[in-house]
């Protein structure tokens, strides 16, 4: 155990306690390691996590290419069609499928891949996610292309604080139930309690585990 391992294990325990207090009983924690070095991924693994979340295709390749990965990588950044080929050897779940044009590319480069449909519950310009109304068709398209559509993912609004996310989280969870899907990826460091209260099954947590992030350099994207 290194000092970093100890620190991440302690912080993970705090996150689990926050989830418990919010009433969560079976909520997974996805440690988000974007822009952090690989020793953070190992620390999360040593603390008992089995997967990490990453945002940038180039960073995924440079971070993991010479490692036999004992953990899964969830891709949680904006997904570009021309990056699927790069990502395919590393990614276990694509959480940000938000438009039809990604589906044939995933089906070709990562047949049978596990995916989530990213929903923009409240429209914010420049952010990913498909409109609530378009989700059922995209889920069906993914399924008919042989992808394993596990569920839905959403990101809370940038401003307004945690409570501003509640209505969107609630809509996403209710749509998930209507579609008969099981995985609901919502909640981050600042709004995980609200997400858990509204039925999240996986929170994506970066800063609460690893502290402040170094900025993403243009080269990692
Ligand atoms: C960076 C990121 C996170 C983690 O954010 P924190 O606020 O550091 O917990 C979660 N989800 C997505 C989609 C992200 O891009």
């Amino acid at each position: 155990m290194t000092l970093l391992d100890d620190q991440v294990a302690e912080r993970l325990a705090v996150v689990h306690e926050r989830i418990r207090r919010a009433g969560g009983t079976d909520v997974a924690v996805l440690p988000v390691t974007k822009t952090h070095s690989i020793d953070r991924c190992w620390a999360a693994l040593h603390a008992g996590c089995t997967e990490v979340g990453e945002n940038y295709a180039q960073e995924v390749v440079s971070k993991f290419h010479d490692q036999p990965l004992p953990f899964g990588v969830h891709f949680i950044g904006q997904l570009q069609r021309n990056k699927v080929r790069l990502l395919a050897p590393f990614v276990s779940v694509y959480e940000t499928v938000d438009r039809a044009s990604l589906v044939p590319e995933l089906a070709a480069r990562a047949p049978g891949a596990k995916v989530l449909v990213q929903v923009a519950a409240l429209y914010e310009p420049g952010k990913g996610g498909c409109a609530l109304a378009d989700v059922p068709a995209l889920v069906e398209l993914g399924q008919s292309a042989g992808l394993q559509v596990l569920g839905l993912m959403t990101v809370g609004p940038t401003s307004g604080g945690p409570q501003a996310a509640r209505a969107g989280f609630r809509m996403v969870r209710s749509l998930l139930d209507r579609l008969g899907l099981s995985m609901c990826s919502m909640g981050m460091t600042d709004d995980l309690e609200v997400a858990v209260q509204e039925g999240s099954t996986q929170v994506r947590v970066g800063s609460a585990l690893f502290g402040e992030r170094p900025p993403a350099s243009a080269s990692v994207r």
Side-chain angles (χ1 to χ4, degrees):
M1 288 282 274
T2 64
L3 209 62
L4 177 65
D5 284 357
D6 286 342
Q7 188 186 50
V8 170
E10 272 169 35
R11 288 174 163 199
L12 181 63
V14 173
V15 169
H16 282 305
E17 180 59 16
R18 285 176 61 185
I19 292 170
R20 198 189 62 77
R21 283 173 190 244
T25 48
D26 204 10
V27 180
V29 176
L30 181 73
V32 175
T33 46
K34 63 172 176 239
T35 78
H36 285 298
S37 61
I38 192 153
D39 54 346
R40 258 82 174 174
C41 304
W42 287 112
L45 200 71
H46 295 157
C49 301
T50 55
E51 300 174 301
V52 298
E54 289 281 346
N55 288 58
Y56 307 111
Q58 204 52 61
E59 181 179 1
V60 167
V61 175
S62 50
K63 203 184 273 185
F64 302 122
H65 74 100
D66 55 358
Q67 316 263 341
L69 284 188
F71 43 89
V73 177
H74 287 213
F75 191 76
I76 62 170
Q78 287 205 7
L79 186 55
Q80 289 167 303
R81 207 152 53 100
N82 63 359
K83 297 289 166 59
V84 171
R85 185 179 54 83
L86 278 180
L87 288 168
F90 306 100
V91 170
S92 57
V93 181
Y94 298 83
E95 292 207 8
T96 49
V97 175
D98 64 355
R99 57 197 185 282
S101 62
L102 290 167
V103 170
E105 185 67 10
L106 284 162
R109 308 281 186 185
K114 295 181 173 141
V115 306
L116 303 181
V117 167
Q118 183 183 357
V119 191
L122 312 160
Y123 177 72
E124 285 188 277
K127 275 174 67 170
C130 78
L132 278 160
D134 299 333
V135 172
L138 189 50
V139 166
E140 216 175 283
L141 184 69
Q143 288 168 337
S144 64
L147 303 177
Q148 290 183 61
V149 184
L150 302 180
L152 305 179
M153 178 272 205
T154 194
V155 179
T158 316
S159 59
Q163 294 304 332
R166 187 180 295 280
F169 288 162
R170 186 168 297 178
M171 287 189 276
V172 171
R173 177 65 211 220
S174 114
L175 180 55
L176 180 96
D177 293 338
R178 257 189 291 144
L179 294 170
L181 301 173
S182 59
M183 180 169 172
C184 192
S185 171
M186 54 190 200
M188 321 195 330
T189 291
D190 289 339
D191 57 15
L192 69 86
E193 281 87 357
V194 173
V196 167
Q197 287 159 5
E198 297 302 335
S200 172
T201 66
Q202 178 199 262
V203 293
R204 308 174 307 267
V205 182
S207 2
L209 296 176
F210 307 115
E212 209 177 308
R213 265 188 295 280
S217 66
S219 65
V220 305
R221 293 161 196 262

